Amino acid sequence: MPQSSLRRAAVALAFAVFAPIVGAQEPAAGGRELTPPPLRYDPNDPRIGLKPGYMDAGEAISGLTKLASVPRPAGFFNPAQVGDGGFSNTDLAFRGNLLFQGNYHGFQAFDVSDPRNPQLRLSVVCPGGQGDVSVYGNLVFMSVEQTRGRLDCGTTGVEDTVSAERFRGVRIFDISDMQNPRQVALVQTCRGSHTHTLVTHPRDRERIWVYVSGTSSVRPGEELAGCVRAADDANTSLFRIEVIEVPLARPQDARVVNMPRVFADASGRPGGLWQGGNHGPGTQTSRITNQCHDITAYPAIGLAAGACSGNGILLDISDPANPRRIDEVIDPNFAYWHSATFNNDGSTVIFTDEWGGGRGARCRATDPATWGANAIFGVRDRKMTLQGYYKLPVPQTDTENCVAHNGSLVPVPGRDLKVQAWYQGGLSLFDFTDPTAAKEVAFFDRGPISATDLITGGYWSVYWYNGRIYGAEIERGIDVFELAPGPNLSVNEIEAAKLVRFDEFNAQLQPKFEWPMAYPVARAYVDQLERGAALEAGRVTALRELMTRGETGRGAQRTQALEQYVRVAEQLERDAGTARPIDARRMRALATTLRGLQAAR
């Protein structure tokens, strides 16, 4: 579809989704000005009016229990200046019982075996920003973007415009010996690495790939051969990503093996996507698409989603060394496409808009509900179609930087749930199972760092990992949460989510959730069918009693209950034929789980 048609479709959907908030309105037409809808919120929300403060700010929480707050360790903050960006905490990665946290000054590792009392295990001082980290086995990868980065991790910076001591790209550390981490590879790139994405292939265990998203200026060709600053040069270092190949047996041999032009048009022109500018009266002004900010790879489905300044793009990564763009979208409500998350079956992808660059107050009551938000797209036949939006549903103050940022799925079977960072807007857990009507399930928020000054802080990222939710607080450290049951989330759903576990987790290398044939999973589906009024109350009660007999009964009582599972499954599958699509999926999943429980007796 031409870009102009995509733009008109996105504008029309924005009005279709949000018109009830501001009254009956029609899509902009004939040159009439588009008025984005303002935020609609509950004036009694406990997040409103929280006490400001650095380490003593007021807090509001719902649907969660906070287990721990861990301050930043010595050497990773400036005690003389709150808000010193040279020491900002950045992204998180996980391996086993270790949490790795990036920082503009290096990275740290914490042992989270006891989530109520995380312990610092490792600090590596290595300035250079951005500091985003990923982990794969004994290798830690770190993005370096700033010109102060040095090959030797030194803290003195680099003064010269052209220097053989400068490093901008991806560092690779070997942490086999946690007491003595070693930098084993440095892969230089022309724009540095703002973020990076690990990419695997299901049938290749000998290597991994790293997609590098550089967003900074192009370094001189005199410093790194092949770097070209001019946008109109055929060899320009803009309008591309880099692909690094990492041989796992010899990570020191990591190197750039491809620089694909993922923004090219049909004629091969490198800058073939959004050219920058606004999308018409009353719309956002979007950046030109000459970079990706984040790329989320989902190897299990062979796709990646790129949030690429002025566009959201879909990539075929069946050959990881040679990603191919297969679709692209624009949105008149987006200023800067920042990050992406698929749902578990790959039928939906969420893109975030970092309006204001993460440093602006963009969640005030007067700010539009579709700006600085999530745009939710359906994916069908490898094409994306806008379905709806989600934005933090409570206003923040003028001194709180707030906009959509990094998050991950929470593995509750039968639902699409995402927990997400909103900088000083805190964290929000929301349900987008129906992508046209996403709604909040749980939240945590603090008051502003300052009542008078806008200081960059809050959550950089918030991720689910093996039963807990971890938040990377830019200024304050790390917070650890667990889900708490309530009207929007049941005990069974929480217990079912805890059954999904990983040895490693990197949010931009999205894993596929698979649930065992277990009673918490079956009960979670029953809870959802009850919540959605898809089954009569008497039938819900009978189902629960049957499962109790099958799980805890003895002798003939248990045998008879298990035998009934098959008949119940058959009835659920018949019912699914006339149910709403969301309920039908849950009915079929419950039927499959009951059959699995019966077969495993």
Side-chain angles (χ1 to χ4, degrees), residues 138-398:
N138 287 320
L139 300 178
V140 171
F141 301 79
M142 186 171 73
S143 286
V144 181
E145 179 179 61
Q146 296 175 338
T147 56
R148 64 172 171 151
R150 297 179 56 90
L151 294 172
D152 61 4
C153 282
T155 60
T156 58
V158 182
E159 295 291 335
D160 296 337
T161 303
V162 175
S163 174
E165 297 177 335
R166 178 173 288 116
F167 178 75
R168 298 173 67 200
V170 176
R171 300 187 191 271
I172 305 177
F173 295 88
D174 185 325
I175 57 165
S176 308
D177 180 355
M178 284 287 291
Q179 304 306 313
N180 296 288
R182 297 182 300 113
Q183 185 172 238
V184 294
L186 301 100
V187 184
Q188 300 267 22
T189 60
C190 289
R191 301 179 77 177
S193 175
H194 191 72
T195 69
H196 67 268
T197 302
L198 302 190
V199 184
T200 60
H201 191 282
R203 294 187 298 277
D204 193 333
R205 297 287 184 261
E206 296 182 356
R207 74 203 79 242
I208 62 172
W209 294 264
V210 183
Y211 292 175
V212 181
S213 298
T215 66
S216 186
S217 58
V218 178
R219 67 207 298 180
E222 297 84 357
E223 184 171 276
L224 183 62
C227 295
V228 177
R229 290 178 168 175
D232 57 355
D233 190 301
N235 297 313
T236 181
S237 299
L238 306 172
F239 306 108
R240 73 184 191 195
I241 63 173
E242 286 92 5
V243 178
I244 298 171
E245 182 182 297
V246 184
L248 295 175
R250 290 185 57 81
Q252 64 269 29
D253 294 338
R255 62 190 180 94
V256 174
V257 295
N258 194 8
M259 293 177 282
R261 298 289 188 186
V262 294
F263 313 130
D265 61 18
S267 70
R269 181 170 62 97
L273 295 183
W274 181 249
Q275 297 301 301
N278 68 51
H279 301 263
T283 65
Q284 287 268 44
T285 296
S286 302
R287 293 268 295 276
I288 184 173
T289 302
N290 68 19
Q291 60 190 246
C292 283
H293 182 280
D294 262 32
I295 299 172
T296 294
Y298 197 175
I301 62 173
L303 297 177
C308 303
S309 55
N311 288 89
I313 67 174
L314 198 62
L315 298 169
D316 181 325
I317 58 168
S318 53
D319 177 0
N322 296 283
R324 296 185 301 107
R325 190 182 88 245
I326 55 176
D327 195 28
E328 66 281 337
V329 289
I330 58 174
D331 190 314
N333 296 297
F334 268 40
Y336 188 73
W337 295 69
H338 177 275
S339 54
T341 304
F342 290 96
N343 71 340
N344 194 53
D345 67 9
S347 62
T348 303
V349 61
I350 294 177
F351 289 100
T352 69
D353 170 30
E354 197 179 37
W355 174 34
R359 297 181 183 275
R362 295 294 187 265
C363 299
R364 298 161 298 184
T366 54
D367 290 323
T370 53
W371 292 17
N374 296 331
I376 308 172
F377 288 80
V379 182
R380 184 173 181 180
D381 298 326
R382 312 217 300 178
K383 298 293 181 182
M384 297 180 287
T385 305
L386 184 62
Q387 300 291 302
Y389 294 88
Y390 177 80
K391 188 172 182 180
L392 186 71
V394 63
Q396 303 293 307
T397 69
D398 290 336

Side-chain angles (χ1 to χ4, degrees), residues 397-440:
T397 69
D398 290 336
T399 63
E400 290 176 286
N401 59 307
C402 178
V403 73
H405 215 235
N406 295 347
S408 72
L409 298 184
V410 176
V412 171
R415 300 174 73 175
D416 291 334
L417 297 181
K418 183 182 180 184
V419 63
Q420 184 171 349
W422 294 83
Y423 287 110
Q424 285 199 72
L427 72 86
S428 178
L429 172 67
F430 64 97
D431 185 325
F432 64 104
T433 311
D434 177 355
T436 68
K439 58 185 179 182
E440 189 171 61

